[in-house]
Amino acid sequence: MTAPGMVVVGAGECGVRAAFALRENGWTGPVTLVGAEPLLPYERPPLSKAGLVSDSAGPVTIRDAGAYRDADIELVSGVEAAGLDTGAHHVELADGRRLGYERLLLATGARARPLPFDGTPVHLLRTHADAVALRRRLVPGTRVGVIGGGFIGLELAASAAARGCPVTVVELGPRPLGRAVPARIAAVLAARHVAAGIDLRCGTAVGRLAPTGTGITVGLADGDAVEVDVVVAGVGSVPETALAERAGLAVENGIRADARLATSAPDVFAAGDCCSFPHPLYDDRRVRLESWRAAQEQGAAAARSMLGGPEPYAAVPWFWSDQHDLSLQVTGLTDAAVGEAVRLRPDGVELWFGLGAQGRLLAAAGVGPGNAVAKDVRLAEMLIARRAVPDPAALADPAVPLKSLLRSPVSA
Amino acid sequence: MPQWIPACATDDVDPEDVIPFEHAGESYAVYRSPDDVYYATAGHCSHERELLCDGLVMGGVIECPKHNGRFDYTSGKAMGAPVLVDLRTYPTKVEGGTVYIELA
């Protein structure tokens, strides 16, 4: 049994950030970071983008090996955490080792949701190994069927198209990106995919998958069928809660955490894709955020809480997605909005603002070439954080700099 | 041999904003503070080479437009994860309504 200290289970973006943040916040005792994959921790966002397009793309490491040594973080890679005893304060690893802890962070992430079809090989995309396996299949002319028109599905559709593959995307909902992106912004992306030659089929389910002599038939609920060579599923993710559940922790759409990211077990915290927590900017609605930046920010916040910090986690949600030459940015919770304002900039870029019942800004989204929307979406994020109630006419007027709206009245 | 290179006119940059400048195949970012002092840094973020000129400038800080890495644009200092490497900075001067930056 090692000397107890801080243990972080999960070496993705969140766990790595937490481990380093413990050091940055003055913790000098042991820090152990446990990761199931046998690689130096790496960034996941490139996996569906450059990591698929380029044959030579290796994993983009978050920190180099020396950084872990310099920070005296013990990195245990390629070993799953198999058990957790919250009473005895130890984690059992799959190789039989037992790690005692003073405080534990569960940053176990999420896994790709599998499709309910047996007997047909279907690619998923969550890890570097998944990306390598998929891109080996993506040679020019390979027909690709993507099931799910969410972020992963659309990003990998764009990447496959960039490799010269004909792509069909099948989305159950009436339009792509249904849950998190407002309709008019999603429509810009949908049009871009169609312009790139991608066959985008919305409002229909996949009824069956059947291997044929030459490929795979994707049978659709509307009676049509598409013949492809490779099927990839991008139908969402499932929080990794098994370890927590076996240990008796409360689970509610992820490991249930409080405003400081503390779980129901003493000295155990949770952060990133695996956990849900009440968000103070949205009436303490319980949310689970799956994004690179939320993983980072929650990792850092959990580290502060593990060291006794009292602050609730209150960062405004934010994420981006790159598809073809367009980049989408979304901040806040779009589904919390009951009203909207739309700004059409002179450069053709459209920005959407979601408003609450009392006019508070709750969300914003925009899509444009490169980083064209970054400044405006960042300013919207700052407005959301200060609970601003901006004049909707000013939001819609491209002649009014969003920066000037930082002086807007705020909601109580 | 360091050289003063004309980068832009003083009013090409709004107060508390940034514009891009290219010279000899390299990208630079030119900043104007709220009190009209001009600064220059490398054009790309030290994290994943995003162009900084699309980022937000506020309170002496430039933010990477993609990953929100923050730098003090007056000193180039990286202000914490995900950015760990400082930005290179360049001296500036203003003469006759033109902003010059000194490049080696």
Side-chain angles (χ1 to χ4, degrees), chain A residues 293 318 322 375 378 403, chain B residues 16 50 55 57 63 66 68:
Chain A
R293 199 163 108 196
W318 178 93
D322 296 332
K375 258 184 229 185
R378 178 70 178 108
K403 220 180 220 180
Chain B
E16 201 169 54
E50 295 289 338
V57 175
E63 269 189 3
K66 200 64 164 242
N68 298 86

Side-chain angles (χ1 to χ4, degrees), chain A residues 1-5 7 32 74 98-101:
Chain A
M1 183 133 172
T2 49
V7 173
T32 308
E74 191 190 348
R98 186 173 275 191
L99 296 175
Y101 63 82

Side-chain angles (χ1 to χ4, degrees), chain A residues 235-322:
Chain A
V235 291
S237 68
V238 187
E240 281 288 6
T241 58
L243 181 70
E245 283 183 64
R246 286 199 303 273
L249 272 65
V251 169
E252 182 181 349
N253 181 28
I255 301 166
R256 185 187 164 94
D258 69 10
R260 291 175 58 247
L261 304 177
T263 71
S264 60
D267 302 320
V268 181
F269 297 77
D273 291 17
C274 70
C275 86
S276 70
F277 64 95
H279 203 301
L281 282 172
Y282 296 92
D283 300 325
D284 291 327
R285 171 178 152 192
R286 182 161 288 277
V287 295
R288 187 171 72 83
L289 302 176
E290 294 175 358
S291 79
W292 179 87
R293 199 163 108 196
Q296 284 227 340
E297 291 170 341
Q298 288 177 32
R304 292 191 293 271
S305 292
M306 290 164 84
L307 298 172
E311 291 295 312
Y313 175 76
V316 182
W318 178 93
F319 63 85
W320 90 91
S321 174
D322 296 332

Side-chain angles (χ1 to χ4, degrees), chain B residues 21-36:
Chain B
F21 170 63
E22 303 262 338
H23 179 74
E26 284 295 317
S27 297
Y28 304 90
V30 180
Y31 308 81
R32 177 176 174 183
S33 73
D35 49 356
D36 298 329

